[in-house]
Amino acid sequence: LPRAQGPGGKTLKSIIVLSDTHGNRGDIRKLYPLFAECDCIIHLGDTSSDGSMIRSDFAGKTYLLNGNCDVPRLGEDTLTLEIEGVKIFACHGDRLGVKRGTAELARRAAEEGADIALFGHTHRAVEEQKDGVTLFNPGTLSRYAAFKSYLYLAVYDKKFTGKIVELQ
């Protein structure tokens, strides 16, 4: 279905962000109806082969990042993209020490001019503000997690809102 356009031809874009799936393809497939209707899918790593499966099934709208458990490395180490005037910096987070805190991540995202920083690695869902950047961690879809979650992100006309969603 075509998307409704606002003033100036702007369009609401939806992004599904997931991370740390660690081979849990059953729960990934539960998200396929969302993947089919969203504009963009970002897999933040661990396991990039899961992300590669998504990229094969939803070609042209899936971005894949490498995590610390990813061999082979099938994606990018970092990604910066702009959607509807919102600049997004994405990484797995291990190389920026996110288990010790998010200061280095926020600094790097600010250097990129990003409004949003997406990261994984900790297996904990997070939404926080730091140094003018909104940091989101979608949590994990690992089969061993008590709380499985992903991020639904909507962007429109230089504004955004995100919601961490628990997978049922």
Side-chain angles (χ1 to χ4, degrees):
L1 296 172
R3 296 232 184 222
Q5 289 189 344
K10 294 174 178 55
T11 306
L12 175 72
K13 301 286 185 179
S14 61
I15 304 162
I16 304 297
V17 183
L18 61 159
S19 188
D20 297 277
T21 53
H22 293 284
N24 187 4
R25 293 186 174 195
D27 280 337
I28 292 169
R29 286 188 179 95
K30 289 179 183 177
L31 296 176
Y32 269 38
L34 279 176
F35 293 164
E37 64 186 36
C38 76
D39 296 290
C40 179
I41 304 158
I42 302 174
H43 189 293
L44 298 171
D46 282 0
T47 300
S48 61
S49 61
D50 298 339
S52 183
M53 174 190 76
I54 297 166
R55 186 169 53 190
S56 292
D57 292 340
F58 298 94
K61 67 177 181 178
T62 303
Y63 296 91
L64 177 57
L65 289 113
N66 297 317
N68 58 297
C69 294
D70 291 328
V71 178
R73 299 172 75 73
L74 301 173
E76 305 296 322
D77 290 332
T78 64
L79 172 71
T80 303
L81 53 112
E82 188 168 325
I83 299 173
E84 285 296 316
V86 176
K87 197 161 188 184
I88 301 168
F89 173 77
C91 65
H92 183 64
D94 57 312
R95 295 180 178 198
L96 294 175
V98 296
K99 283 191 176 179
R100 295 184 309 274
T102 55
E104 189 174 348
L105 171 70
R107 181 192 55 77
R108 174 70 189 277
E111 285 174 359
E112 295 287 330
D115 304 295
I116 297 171
L118 303 174
F119 70 104
H121 189 56
T122 66
H123 293 200
R124 288 187 318 272
V126 169
E127 177 182 354
E128 68 176 319
Q129 296 286 324
K130 190 168 277 189
D131 299 331
V133 178
T134 301
L135 312 178
F136 287 108
N137 183 326
T140 181
L141 285 183
S142 167
R143 73 186 97 203
Y144 307 110
F147 178 80
K148 297 175 189 176
S149 60
Y150 63 93
L151 172 67
Y152 186 93
L153 186 61
V155 295
Y156 175 79
D157 192 20
K158 301 180 185 175
K159 296 175 188 71
F160 62 90
T161 189
K163 172 73 175 162
I164 294 168
V165 181
E166 182 176 1
L167 185 66
Q168 301 297 318

